[in-house]
Amino acid sequence: MLKRVVFGLIAILLMGTLSSAWAFNLTDTQGHGQNLAAYKGKWVLVNFWATWCPPCRAEIPDLIALHNANIARLAVIGIAMDYDDPKQVISFAHDMHINYPIVLGNETTANQIGQVEGLPTSYLYNPEGKIVATQVGGLTRAVVEDYINSHTTLHSKKK
């Protein structure tokens, strides 16, 4: 199971579709710009989700823990999709104690980042701003941290 998830995370590398994180700008529910250039030097996890989606709801505690435990080296940004009322998304995020930025997304938002074939979908950017992994389906804190740790170690050895 873990191998399948890790392979899913690196699937984008196999497709050869690396792209730059610095090319898009988002505005979160607090009105703050989420220009990913501001995160240069950090890993960035962009997570597309919906309030009605059981796997999305299940991964939220891990995303909160991931954000809290790795704030110096990782940014988590949630992009809510497929909603009718923005107030419902904001209320849901508050009730779930989500403390990372939430963006109210749509097709235009998704097109700036990558395909959203299902929910949840996550994109992981390395500190240089390149998409290095993607996952369609739920993910865990452990899988993301293992991926980052293994690639941070490999990157350090190359220097």
Side-chain angles (χ1 to χ4, degrees):
M1 173 69 176
L2 180 59
K3 285 183 180 178
R4 193 183 99 211
V5 172
V6 171
F7 286 132
L9 277 171
I10 61 173
I12 199 149
L13 285 176
L14 298 176
M15 293 186 302
T17 57
L18 292 175
S19 66
S20 175
W22 318 131
F24 64 89
N25 293 292
L26 308 170
T27 301
D28 66 27
T29 57
Q30 303 295 312
H32 300 122
Q34 295 298 321
N35 179 334
L36 294 188
Y39 295 112
K40 192 168 187 173
K42 283 188 172 188
W43 292 85
V44 178
L45 180 68
V46 177
N47 176 257
F48 290 91
W49 63 283
T51 59
W52 54 261
C53 165
C56 301
R57 296 168 72 111
E59 73 180 358
I60 287 172
D62 271 2
L63 294 176
I64 292 169
L66 189 62
H67 169 75
N68 291 341
N70 296 283
I71 203 155
R73 69 177 182 156
L74 171 74
V76 177
I77 301 171
I79 301 180
M81 301 292 286
D82 197 26
Y83 57 89
D84 292 322
D85 184 358
K87 291 179 185 176
Q88 190 267 336
V89 173
I90 293 166
S91 177
F92 177 86
H94 179 266
D95 292 346
M96 292 293 291
H97 306 286
I98 297 174
N99 59 348
Y100 49 84
I102 298 295
V103 172
L104 298 173
N106 55 34
E107 186 176 334
T108 302
T109 306
N111 287 339
Q112 292 182 60
I113 299 164
Q115 288 186 318
V116 179
E117 295 180 12
L119 294 173
T121 293
S122 297
Y123 286 89
L124 183 64
Y125 295 88
N126 70 12
E128 290 78 37
K130 301 291 184 187
I131 295 174
V132 294
T134 189
Q135 172 70 29
V136 178
L139 51 81
T140 66
R141 172 184 175 181
V143 167
V144 175
E145 287 178 337
D146 288 349
Y147 184 92
I148 290 172
N149 290 337
S150 70
H151 286 77
T152 301
T153 302
L154 290 173
H155 184 60
S156 297
K157 288 180 181 176
K158 289 180 183 177
K159 289 184 175 182

